[in-house]
Amino acid sequence: MVMFKSLSQKIEGKNVKIVYPEATDPRVLGAAVRLHSDKLVEPILLGNPAEVEAIATERNWNIGDLTIIDPNNYDEFDAMIASFVERRKGKNTEEQAREMLRDNAYFGTMLVYMDLADGLVCGAQYSTGDTVRPALQIIKTRPGVKLTSGAFVMVPPNNDGERLIFADCAININPDAQSLAEIAVESAQTAKMFDIDPKVGLLSFSTKGSAASPEVDKVAEATRIAKELAPDLAIDGELQFDAAYVESVADKKAPESEVAGKVNVFVFPEIQSGNIGYKMAQRLGNYQAVGPILQGLNKPVSDLSRGCIEEDVYKVSIITANQAIM
């Protein structure tokens, strides 16, 4: 895809280190081997070295130059425990930390926190909760950002048309106005990573006061806050989808808006509509949904689907590496 060619060029030769807690999964290991061969990522594989090597040998993959770390036999484990306890600020004892860090997702997240890796890709075997929880506890959100969110890049069939951003479709069930505003601003930054000039629309069943309800008020307030947070961004709301996307409709429903009819970053009012929306675009419009891309964290962590294929791991890793150099 054109999009991934561009993203690959941005990270080629930059030695971005991505940690893979599920290195004994052939889908993950195969993607890591390819990424290393293509000089896009320096993989850090977590797992029992003998098991990882056996999988590679069976498939004739050369992993001689790849870094493999066994969390059960790590020389700096005590230092990692001390760093974890300090980061958790008394929420976990040293004994609890020792047990938690035997889990590859927690161990890998600590490598990122301690600057031993630039990002993490996980979720081929772990659930979303088990992937995201360590990131929220250890890496946490960037200063000024209260929550993480999940965006999808929607790629049109045959790349015939503009790529779109849909958010939040993965993490926050019913964000309040402040949270929705943060999601809008973070989604615009994600758009820029994909060379999309962001025009952000906060969606509703109302356009500029055409309906009245607390749900509409929330989106209108979120729009006001988002404009204060990022006055240089093109942001507007509340907008119905047709007013946000179709210029002829925007001319009638929101003629004074500079964004209506041109929106390419769609912020849904809650996860239910976001999840439905991106799946409808997939199934009815034949868009490819790339993601979810986790936004707002201090350092990038990406969640895979447990139904992923090797190519998904490869592409998500490229996105994660791009987030690391932003």
Side-chain angles (χ1 to χ4, degrees):
M1 290 171 58
V2 174
M3 179 177 78
F4 281 98
K5 183 177 180 180
S6 173
L7 291 172
S8 296
Q9 289 172 343
K10 294 177 183 179
I11 60 172
E12 189 172 2
K14 293 193 175 178
N15 301 317
V16 180
K17 295 179 181 179
I18 301 296
V19 59
Y20 297 91
E22 303 156 317
T24 54
D25 188 306
R27 299 168 294 176
V28 174
L29 183 56
V33 170
R34 286 174 56 199
L35 289 158
H36 180 72
S37 176
D38 293 342
K39 296 181 172 56
L40 299 179
V41 160
E42 287 295 328
I44 299 174
L45 308 174
L46 301 187
N48 182 291
E51 292 180 15
V52 176
E53 289 164 7
I55 294 168
T57 300
E58 182 181 339
R59 291 162 175 77
N60 294 316
W61 293 335
N62 181 6
I63 62 170
D65 293 334
L66 273 64
T67 299
I68 305 174
I69 296 177
D70 184 355
N72 293 310
N73 187 24
Y74 183 57
D75 291 342
E76 301 300 322
F77 195 59
D78 286 342
M80 180 180 284
I81 290 170
S83 180
F84 179 84
V85 171
E86 180 183 2
R87 181 61 165 168
R88 294 291 289 150
K89 300 186 185 301
K91 294 179 181 178
N92 294 109
T93 65
E94 182 177 322
E95 183 178 348
Q96 290 171 330
R98 186 174 298 275
E99 181 65 26
M100 293 168 75
L101 290 172
R102 295 296 182 190
D103 179 279
N104 282 13
Y106 272 97
F107 186 97
T109 303
M110 279 301 296
L111 290 180
V112 177
Y113 172 66
M114 298 171 71
D115 292 328
L116 299 173
D118 301 303
L120 176 144
V121 173
C122 187
Q125 296 175 2
Y126 282 83
S127 69
T128 293
D130 289 339
T131 296
V132 175
R133 189 177 305 108
L136 294 178
Q137 292 177 348
I138 300 167
I139 294 175
K140 303 185 180 181
T141 55
R142 291 199 306 274
V145 179
K146 295 181 180 178
L147 79 167
T148 187
S149 55
F152 283 86
V153 183
M154 307 301 296
V155 182
N158 303 313
N159 283 293
D160 184 19
E162 186 179 20
R163 294 187 291 272
L164 309 172
I165 302 291
F166 282 13
D168 176 0
C169 307
I171 303 294
N172 299 284
I173 293 175
N174 189 21
D176 60 18
Q178 178 69 38
S179 299
L180 205 57
E182 288 186 8
I183 292 168
V185 174
E186 290 298 312
S187 298
Q189 299 308 311
T190 297
K192 291 178 181 179
M193 183 175 70
F194 291 94
D195 298 322
I196 299 170
D197 181 19
K199 297 175 181 61
V200 184
L202 285 86
L203 299 179
S204 175
F205 65 90
S206 167
T207 296
K208 298 296 183 179
S210 64
S213 79
E215 291 81 5
V216 173
D217 293 341
K218 180 181 82 168
V219 178
E221 175 64 6
T223 302
R224 184 191 66 78
I225 297 170
K227 289 180 177 180
E228 288 184 354
L229 291 174
D232 294 334
L233 283 176
I235 299 175
D236 205 1
E238 84 280 8
L239 298 171
Q240 292 165 285
F241 185 86
D242 55 356
Y245 191 60
V246 182
E247 287 197 45
S248 61
V249 176
D251 289 342
K252 296 176 182 177
K253 292 187 173 183
E256 297 180 359
S257 174
E258 296 181 0
V259 169
K262 305 179 184 69
V263 170
N264 51 24
V265 178
F266 296 88
V267 180
F268 292 84
E270 28 68 27
I271 196 173
Q272 186 165 232
S273 57
N275 187 272
I276 292 168
Y278 98 80
K279 289 181 183 293
M280 287 181 70
Q282 265 187 310
R283 302 304 178 180
L284 297 181
N286 293 318
Y287 275 72
Q288 181 184 355
V290 179
I293 299 160
L294 298 186
Q295 309 175 141
L297 291 169
N298 262 317
K299 296 184 179 181
V301 169
S302 292
D303 177 35
L304 299 163
S305 165
R306 279 176 283 182
C308 68
I309 60 175
E310 180 185 304
E311 186 67 14
D312 296 328
V313 184
Y314 184 88
K315 290 177 177 176
V316 168
S317 298
I318 290 172
I319 292 171
T320 308
N322 271 269
Q323 287 180 296
I325 65 172
M326 284 182 67

